[in-house]
Amino acid sequence: MAASATAARPLAGASVPLPLSARRQLARVALLPRAPAAIQRLSLGRPAQAQPSARGRSVRCLAALSPEMRATLDKVVGSSKVVLFMKGTKDFPQCGFSHTVVQILRSLDVPFETLDVLANEALRQGLKEYSSWPTFPQLYIDGEFFGGCDITVEAYKSGELQETLEKAMCS
C-alpha cells in the first residue's frame, strides 16, 4: 500500500503533466500566409479559388512569369551596368552568399545597384524563372545574367569577373 501511495504523489520538485482538459489549447497557425488574390491572378493567370487548400496557399507555387513581371525585370536589369538581386541590402546582407558577392564587388570598386528579394515574394519567384537560376544572389552585368555566388567567386579568382566588368563599364 505504501508503494501505491508513493506512486500517486509526485516527487518534490518534479513537474506533473496537466490533464488534457486543463491544458491551454494552442491556436493553429498557417505556416505560409495566403497570397493576395491579385498576386494569385497575376502569377497563375486564373482567378483565385474561393477555398484553396493549405497547399494552394503557398506562394512558392506561384511560379509563372507574367509578361508584366518580365518587362519590369528587363527594365531593372538594363537600368544599371551591374545589378545584384540579393537577400538583404548591400549595407545589411541577410545571407552569407549575398555578403560574399557584395564584398567582391566592393573590392573591385565597381558601382552596383542591389534589390532585396526578401522584400517581395513575387519578385523573388519571378526572378528564378527569368534567369533560370533557382538561388540568390543573382548578378547581372550589362543586362546579362552572370551567375550566383559560386560562379562569381570562381570568376573573381580567375580574373574573368574583372575583365567582364571592365568591358561593361567601358561600353
Side-chain angles (χ1 to χ4, degrees):
M1 183 100 149
S4 65
T6 310
R9 276 186 292 142
L11 297 173
S15 63
V16 177
L18 294 172
L20 289 177
S21 60
R23 292 183 187 173
R24 198 172 87 198
Q25 295 295 320
L26 298 176
R28 295 203 181 262
V29 179
L31 294 177
L32 294 172
R34 187 172 173 191
I39 291 176
Q40 287 179 355
R41 281 191 302 274
L42 177 67
S43 298
L44 294 175
R46 60 182 168 84
Q49 299 170 354
Q51 292 292 334
S53 67
R55 287 188 113 160
R57 292 183 202 166
S58 172
V59 177
R60 292 183 180 104
C61 294
L62 309 176
L65 183 63
S66 70
E68 295 88 6
M69 178 65 82
R70 182 173 296 282
T72 300
L73 290 173
D74 286 338
K75 191 174 188 180
V76 170
V77 165
S79 67
S80 296
K81 294 286 184 179
V82 181
V83 179
L84 179 64
F85 293 95
M86 61 180 284
K87 293 179 180 179
T89 64
K90 65 172 104 176
D91 294 324
F92 193 61
Q94 295 294 305
C95 88
F97 300 114
S98 294
H99 176 76
T100 299
V101 176
V102 166
Q103 292 305 312
I104 288 172
L105 294 174
R106 284 187 170 159
S107 75
L108 297 172
D109 200 29
V110 174
F112 64 100
E113 298 298 321
T114 62
L115 278 93
D116 183 6
V117 297
L118 296 177
N120 185 327
E121 184 68 22
L123 170 69
R124 185 176 174 183
Q125 295 305 320
L127 267 167
K128 290 178 182 183
E129 186 174 331
Y130 181 79
S131 64
S132 299
W133 195 260
T135 59
F136 293 95
Q138 292 183 8
L139 180 62
Y140 287 78
I141 300 174
D142 212 13
E144 297 291 323
F145 176 66
F146 185 80
C149 181
D150 291 343
I151 290 172
T152 303
V153 168
E154 289 303 314
Y156 175 71
K157 289 178 181 177
S158 72
E160 179 190 351
L161 179 61
Q162 294 86 324
E163 290 174 20
T164 305
L165 288 169
E166 286 174 10
K167 288 178 189 174
M169 293 300 148
C170 293
S171 64

